Amino acid sequence: MAEIAFRNVNKIYPNGFQAVHRLDLSIADGEFLVMVGPSGCGKSTTLRMLAGLETISSGDLLIAGHRVNDLHPRARNIAMVFQSYALYPHKTVQGNIEFPLRMARLPAAEVKTRALEVARMLELEPLLQRKPGLLSGGQRQRVAMARALVRDPVAFLMDEPLSNLDAKLRVQMRAEIAALQRRTGTTTVYVTHDQVEAMTMGDRVAVFKDGLLQQVDTPQQLFERPVNTFVAGFIGSPSMNLITARREPAGGGPVLVVAGERISLGKGMETRFNLTDADAERVVCLGLRPEDVVDPQLVGEDRRLHGRVALTELLGREQMVYLDLRDGTRLVARLHADRRLKAGEEIAVGIDPARLYLFQADGRALPYRQG
Amino acid sequence: MQPQGVDTAPGRVRRWLDELPVGLAPLLIAATGLIAGLYLLVHPVPDQRADLTMWVFGALHADAYQAAAERFVADTDRTVDVQLINYNAVNQKLRSALWAAVNVPDLVEIEKSAAGGFFRGPLDKIGFLDLKPYLERDAILDRVPAHALAAYTDRGAVFGVPHDIHPVLLAYRADIIDPYLARRGLRMEDLATWDDYFRELRGLLVPDERYLLQIEYGDAWAFQIFLMQRGGGIFGPDGRLRMDDDIAVATMTWMIPLVADPGDRKVAESLGNWDPSFYRGFIEGYYIAALCPDWRSSQIQTFAKELHGKLRVVPLPAPVPGGLRTSQMGGTMLGIARSAKDPELAWRFARAIYYGSPEQHGRLFRTTNILTPDRRAWSDPAYHEPRPYWSGQALGEQFIAVADEVPPFYSSGFLPSAQAKLNEAIVSCYSRYRSHGADGFEAYVRQRLTSAADHVRRQMAREPEWDAEE
Amino acid sequence: MPLRTARTAPYLFLAPFVLSFLIFGAYPIIRSVMLSFYITSGPEAQHFVGLDNYLHLLQDPDFWTAVRNTATFALGSVLLQLPLSLGLALLLNRADIRGRNVFRFIFFSPNLMGLVFSALLFMLILAPRFGLLNAALHALFGLPSTTRWLSTPSLVMPALIMVALWLYTGFNMVYFLAALQAVDGELYEAATIDGAGRWAQFWHVTLPGIRPVLIFVVVLSTIGSFQLFELAFLLLGNSSGPDQAGLTIVMYLYQNGFLGGDLGYAAAIGWTLALMVLLLALVQLRITGTGKEAR
């Protein structure tokens, strides 16, 4: 059993900078957890604390129920794949893969068989006698993975392993890593700054910002129910539109004033929020994903926003349209490419209240309706 | 596209400049150099060099000669540039100068052990002038002890005149030895042989704390002194190598046990010859006597101030009753370059500094304790002054007393090689005696010296017949 | 400027250097080769002997003594110095050393003092009975203080190696420090996770990482050791030491050429030394596989 648990873990550097604040995170055995966030958010530090490359200032780190704060990396039986692979440049591919086993003082025959097995699994057989300097980026990445795999560890740690690859290779390797993890069933903790990777690979995704864990949930939940504006804006590509809004006191149901226009949320219309009058007071920000914009003809006049086209980007069947709303706010909408729009043209977009996100002053989202 | 105004004068100049092979800047530099060179050709800088150049490696000599140079200018209206050059450098500089035939000094002082190296080659090509005609002409030969010239004579030609004689005396701790001898009714002068010396002073020996004589056995310095005292030498007058003859064997067989005997039979020790340890040892009484050529006495005065008034010198005890009571060590010669522009002028200056007034030599003696070979100078009072450092002895008189008996030293170009081999042999003999004692020692010494000498002889055999070549 | 003269311009600019190199570099080298075929005692006193100089020196026991001494010095120097300088560099490379620059300067500074000063210093330190070393050994270990370091044949080479150690360890240390700092830190982290202890990390990460510099330092040290002259010359007082124990190849050259006056023979010795060192360097490079790397 290889559950991993962070309990109130903090990391403070000698110069006083705190990289990780009060981290509470549990990772189940066999789970693929992705830690994501912008640069400097503490995800790599957390990973390194798990590996034992960084000391833990306070709090407990447990692996399989044992407190491992002071345990040497070697004894934790975890394997790590580094961003720049950290392959031993003077050893062959075979030597690299065999290295951890040799350090564990396993008998030579076993070392060789296990290494070959892993090499075969990752299609590295023809490259076994080459030195890392003569391999392509993707090949090196696979060697790094092989070196980690061969140990049969309790957990894989991966620190942005795909960052150095070109886009096409990255897509391919994403699938391979995910497949590999499913096959081996080993707990994997994966760090990336790319939210697409996070969404496609992880069983669960942990979003970090400035050393604080924002939300840890399945990709689906992160997408549908972000807990704050940061997560909402971080997950999903292109980013969600976050527009200042306020509630206008009126009868007949909740009304929001957005960019100088009034949007009626409607009584009886389903929104994902239980919107009482009291809640509505707190709303200061509206979230709308570009792809959630609807055809204005399908909604009433009281649910339309008007704006002037600033820029369009053709994406094939669809187009990204950058609109300047009445008060100057920028709105990004993903529309069908049928209708050719020109800069300066005035158009309207429709709002479906069921697709709206509402945020309050401190950035937190309004509580979601259960179900 | 033609630049505007190409046919006007500036345009033509610009175009011409563009056509220059290497561009403007290098041409300007070249032109400047050319003009400067032409100017110097027409108005050369006057030659500042002195009429005579002299190289000297001893600082005290340099000072003395500088004074003489100033008098020389006053007398002859010709200038002398006395240059002080480091002892180790002067030989190399001279050799380079002779090879390149550039900047050869008119006069140069060379140390005795290095001199031989300059006497190799065809007689008429040697870099020094044969000074015999000058010595004969100016009747200097009778003023100088004949043995002093031996080291600088090769195949009959005298390539250098000696600066010194360097007789060797024994410097000893009068404050320790004299009272001890007096209690037994003896005086230091009574110890006429080495056997007497070691026998009578045995009572003063304290193993590991006090030895009777400083004898360095890491090199051949002391050995050579004893060797020459017995009438031996490394080379003979005919350039023959004799460092393995019977005298050498006897000297070695006698000397080694003095330092290598075990326990309280060992009477001599050394802490080195040249570094501060030598003086320290003397001061602390680690040894109570040392072999003292005249130049060494001034070094002892300088570096062992604590021994002021405690030392005296006496002639060396002889190897056998009636034997030689002095020896020889070191020497400097003055040579005149064959390529000197005005040999006569150079000789004149040489005479001024080497065979000048007695008073001049006396002054030199006061500062360096070095005895000049010029007999006429020995009458100067400086040589007869009592010296407080030396317990009131008239140091000069002591050296003069033995000056005529100093054995001759014969040079050779192979002297450095022979000395190196001799050093080796001494160390070997020392080790042999330490491990095997006196058993078969003499045979070993003979065999060892012979093999060392044969090594040098093999080298000498390669020497071509310079004077037979054309 | 016109194209044809633009082509000659580079040659004209190179000309001054090439000219001075030919005159002051190439010509003396060629001339010394020619000189080695003569017995000489002056520019006008040269006697052609062909290869006899070389033959004689190969049969001269003194030459082989010199080779033995020099090789001992080179071996001792390299074998002692390198681990020491590497060790110091490893110590200084630790991130938690404070005042690293100060230490680096201290260890490097003997090099700045110059050979002559250092030799004079060590003459005092090594003096029998009153010297610093003997006094320390006597005080700490009760060893006799009359050890004559520079006058006992078996101690001369160890003394020389000791002085060379003091002089040059810091120099090599600086090279190694630079090389160590160029090794990727992530490799150490990967090795730690892979289960490598300190020694395994040194062997598998550090050494291969500094290999080019290591080879460079070894070859350079060897070449330099073979040219030992000034240190022995100064410490032994213009001589080759007791029993020729301090005779090095260059000292042998000096004695024959500059004291004995035969520059032709000296040239032969010099060329023999050059060939020996060249051979040695080639062998070393071959063994370490340098030059065959695909990189």
Side-chain angles (χ1 to χ4, degrees), chain B residues 130-145:
Chain B
D130 180 3
L131 297 175
K132 197 134 158 234
Y134 294 91
L135 290 167
E136 283 167 348
R137 186 191 74 189
D138 293 353
I140 302 223
L141 281 177
D142 19 317
R143 281 158 69 168
V144 172

Side-chain angles (χ1 to χ4, degrees), chain A residues 8 46 99 157 206 334:
Chain A
N8 201 20
T46 307
F99 188 72
L157 308 184
R334 190 138 95 192

Side-chain angles (χ1 to χ4, degrees), chain C residues 132-143 145:
Chain C
L132 202 60
L133 184 63
N134 279 347
L137 288 176
H138 184 70
L140 291 173
F141 304 112
L143 290 174
S145 65

Side-chain angles (χ1 to χ4, degrees), chain A residues 48 73-74 78 80 82 84 86-88 90-91 99-100 103 147 151, chain C residues 186-187 189-197 200 204-205 208-209 295:
Chain A
R48 287 165 66 87
R74 181 184 358 182
I78 41 99
M80 188 152 169
F82 292 84
S84 41
L87 296 180
Y88 305 115
H90 301 275
K91 294 186 186 299
F99 188 72
M103 285 300 112
R147 188 175 65 181
R151 299 182 44 183
Chain C
E186 242 181 29
L187 287 177
E189 290 184 341
T192 307
I193 292 186
D194 281 344
H204 289 280
V205 179
R295 201 90 56 106

Side-chain angles (χ1 to χ4, degrees), chain B residues 18 21-22 88 92 95 99 120-122 125 216 270-271 276-277 280 286 421 424 427 455 459 462 466 469, chain C residues 1 12 39 41 44-45 47 52-53 56 60 62 127-130 148 153 238 243-244 254 258 260-261 263:
Chain B
D18 280 338
V22 286
N88 287 317
Q92 307 338 318
R95 200 172 292 284
W99 265 86
R120 287 173 62 193
K125 297 286 196 294
E216 175 59 45
S270 169
L271 297 173
S277 300
R280 204 73 245 152
Y286 191 62
K421 283 306 185 192
E424 258 183 59
V427 174
H455 184 107
Q459 277 185 320
R462 293 184 74 228
W466 292 111
E469 305 214 334
Chain C
M1 63 185 80
L12 288 174
I39 292 181
S41 79
E44 293 163 79
H47 178 83
D52 195 55
N53 276 340
H56 182 258
D60 188 357
D62 277 350
R129 200 171 159 95
F130 304 111
R148 291 152 44 99
N238 302 14
D243 211 8
Q244 309 255 63
Y254 175 80
F258 294 95
L263 287 184

Side-chain angles (χ1 to χ4, degrees), chain B residues 344-399:
Chain B
E344 194 55 55
L345 186 67
W347 173 248
R348 213 165 142 195
F349 185 67
R351 255 206 352 252
I353 49 177
Y354 269 41
Y355 307 108
S357 67
E359 176 243 6
Q360 186 184 329
H361 288 291
R363 253 182 290 124
L364 189 70
F365 184 78
R366 276 207 195 91
T367 43
T368 64
N369 290 1
I370 293 181
L371 186 65
T372 177
D374 188 0
R375 261 187 247 281
R376 285 205 211 154
W378 295 352
S379 56
D380 187 85
Y383 294 100
H384 306 274
E385 287 167 353
R387 294 288 195 87
Y389 186 94
W390 299 95
S391 307
Q393 276 186 309
L395 198 63
E397 283 174 3
Q398 296 293 322
F399 285 114

Side-chain angles (χ1 to χ4, degrees), chain A residues 80 96 106 159 174 189 232 245 255 335:
Chain A
M80 188 152 169
N96 266 280
L106 293 178
D159 191 353
R174 270 197 338 238
V189 183
V255 166
L335 303 176

Side-chain angles (χ1 to χ4, degrees), chain B residues 18-23 26 87-88 91-92 95-96 98-101 113-114 116-118 120-122 125 208-209 215-218 269-272 275-277 280-281 284 286 413 416-417 420-421 423-425 427-428 431 448 455 458-459 462-466 469, chain C residues 1-2 4-6 8-9 12-13 31 35 39-47 49 52-54 56 59-62 65 123-124 127-131 146 148 151 153 233-234 238-244 247 252 254-265:
Chain B
D18 280 338
E19 303 250 319
L20 287 176
V22 286
Y87 165 71
N88 287 317
N91 295 326
Q92 307 338 318
R95 200 172 292 284
S96 305
L98 288 173
W99 265 86
S113 54
F118 290 99
R120 287 173 62 193
K125 297 286 196 294
D208 287 335
E209 281 190 32
I215 296 182
E216 175 59 45
Y217 48 95
E269 181 54 271
S270 169
L271 297 173
D275 42 13
S277 300
R280 204 73 245 152
E284 310 230 336
Y286 191 62
S417 184
K421 283 306 185 192
N423 291 351
E424 258 183 59
V427 174
S428 303
S431 309
R448 193 66 189 74
H455 184 107
R458 267 198 304 275
Q459 277 185 320
R462 293 184 74 228
E463 188 80 338
E465 291 289 326
W466 292 111
E469 305 214 334
Chain C
M1 63 185 80
R4 59 167 168 79
T5 48
T8 61
L12 288 174
F13 278 111
R31 189 81 176 76
L35 203 60
I39 292 181
T40 66
S41 79
E44 293 163 79
Q46 301 186 43
H47 178 83
V49 290
D52 195 55
N53 276 340
Y54 291 96
H56 182 258
Q59 291 165 1
D60 188 357
D62 277 350
T65 305
M123 263 173 55
L124 291 174
R129 200 171 159 95
F130 304 111
T146 47
R148 291 152 44 99
S151 308
F233 182 81
L234 291 167
N238 302 14
S239 80
S240 49
D243 211 8
Q244 309 255 63
L247 183 68
Y252 179 69
Y254 175 80
Q255 284 181 345
N256 279 284
F258 294 95
L259 295 181
D262 188 349
L263 287 184
Y265 189 56

